[in-house]
Amino acid sequence: MTKFINEILTGDNVEILRLIDDNFVDLTVTSPPYDDLRAYNGYTWDPELLANELYRVTKDGGVVVWIVGDRTVKGSETGSSFKQALTFMDTGFRLHDTMIYMKDSISFPETTRYYQIFEYMFIFSKGSPKTVNLISDRKNKWVGHRIRGRERQVDGSLAGRRKGNPVKEFGVRYNIWQVSTGYMKSSKDVIAYDHPAIFPESLAEDHILSWSDPGGIVLDPFGGSGTTAKMAKINGRQFIHTDISEEYNEIARRRLEDIA
């Protein structure tokens, strides 16, 4: 299947994945269409079929990062994100973590609910994740102090805990990531904004660094403007990019052509 490595492929993602060997992909980082929030030239997809194919092609210990939100229809959210998460779990994936991608701006303020600025990032794993490179860039307030405290026991009581190691200057991130979005913030590639829903480069990059090692194979079955492929290539990973739209794939090719 080496012919698919570092390729931008046009076609139905399920049909393309069916041509890929079992246990081939280390990491998937993707963001599917959110209900019918964008037209995407009228293309549709089947969550159950895709989840099954992703499970098959993912290596044991591999991870799928599924970034998704819901559309509000007649005053209520669709709940599609939760349905998709349950579909992946029914397929055999573990829900390793439920993370939040928090934007630094909003598009259109609501008048009947609090302003919506986040999307879900479901971290699915095929068994226990084999690669975990947690990013530690959170400034610790208590740097230099020793970890101390008490722990709640099964019976509800509190037990003392001995002083631990000194608190480091930087700790592991929380699972809510704030990401700058918008024109020339999600990417500096002007051409990327010809796509209706550009994926922030820093978001793709940080997941690639977290859940894969150099040389690993990173898949995006909704490749769009090529952000996942670009960040995989920049960070020494291999990529497989699929999208049903040749128009969007041409954007992706142009974004990758100058990367060594």
Side-chain angles (χ1 to χ4, degrees):
M1 292 301 154
T2 55
K3 65 180 180 180
F4 290 118
I5 297 297
N6 298 330
E7 292 284 344
I8 293 175
L9 307 168
T10 303
D12 179 90
N13 50 24
V14 170
E15 296 301 322
I16 293 174
L17 263 59
R18 283 173 176 163
L19 301 175
I20 296 177
D21 291 338
D22 295 354
N23 305 307
F24 190 73
V25 174
D26 295 285
L27 170 66
T28 295
V29 178
T30 195
S31 183
Y34 301 174
D35 297 305
D36 58 351
L37 191 61
R38 299 285 188 277
Y40 292 106
N41 294 333
Y43 301 126
T44 60
W45 63 288
D46 187 311
E48 186 174 357
L49 289 177
L50 182 58
N52 277 284
E53 285 304 310
L54 284 173
Y55 188 83
R56 183 185 63 78
V57 303
T58 299
K59 293 179 181 178
D60 292 337
V63 166
V64 173
V65 177
W66 191 259
I67 302 173
V68 66
D70 298 303
R71 185 180 182 186
T72 299
V73 180
K74 295 181 179 180
S76 297
E77 295 184 357
T78 60
S80 295
S81 57
F82 301 113
K83 296 174 187 176
Q84 291 167 20
L86 293 173
T87 295
F88 272 77
M89 295 169 71
D90 288 342
T91 300
F93 282 105
R94 297 183 182 183
L95 181 54
H96 181 67
D97 196 2
T98 300
M99 299 178 64
I100 295 294
Y101 149 38
M102 187 171 72
K103 305 173 186 179
D104 62 352
S105 61
I106 58 174
S107 298
F108 299 101
E110 293 275 0
T111 58
T112 62
R113 58 177 59 82
Y114 292 107
Y115 296 172
Q116 207 281 335
I117 61 166
F118 80 90
E119 295 172 9
Y120 294 103
M121 300 191 294
F122 295 115
I123 313 301
F124 301 110
S125 62
K126 189 174 179 179
S128 298
K130 62 180 173 61
T131 300
V132 179
N133 305 312
L134 300 180
I135 299 172
S136 297
D137 58 1
R138 176 180 55 83
K139 182 76 172 179
N140 275 318
K141 179 179 179 181
W142 300 105
V143 58
H145 291 75
R146 289 189 177 274
I147 299 172
R148 65 175 68 191
R150 295 189 295 171
E151 295 178 324
R152 186 73 64 181
Q153 306 301 300
V154 176
D155 63 2
S157 63
L158 286 170
R161 185 171 63 184
R162 291 181 299 174
K163 291 183 179 180
N165 295 326
V167 176
K168 297 179 180 179
E169 182 178 2
F170 292 96
V172 172
R173 284 184 187 180
Y174 299 133
N175 64 354
I176 297 176
W177 292 359
Q178 184 167 350
V179 180
S180 295
T181 59
Y183 187 70
M184 300 310 287
K185 291 191 291 183
S186 293
S187 173
K188 299 300 183 184
D189 299 339
V190 175
I191 189 176
Y193 297 93
D194 288 344
H195 189 276
I198 183 174
F199 195 42
E201 289 182 358
S202 63
L203 193 62
E205 181 173 48
D206 287 351
H207 279 300
I208 289 167
L209 295 174
S210 296
W211 312 110
S212 72
D213 291 321
I217 299 172
V218 180
L219 167 69
D220 188 346
F222 296 100
S225 65
T227 298
T228 295
K230 175 182 176 180
M231 303 320 292
K233 189 173 182 180
I234 285 175
N235 288 283
R237 276 68 168 172
Q238 304 179 87
F239 67 85
I240 302 175
H241 165 118
T242 82
D243 201 282
I244 200 167
S245 170
E246 177 60 24
E247 175 188 352
Y248 299 155
N249 281 346
E250 185 56 32
I251 297 172
R253 292 188 188 97
R254 291 179 62 183
R255 294 181 72 193
L256 269 66
E257 63 186 6
D258 293 329
I259 301 174

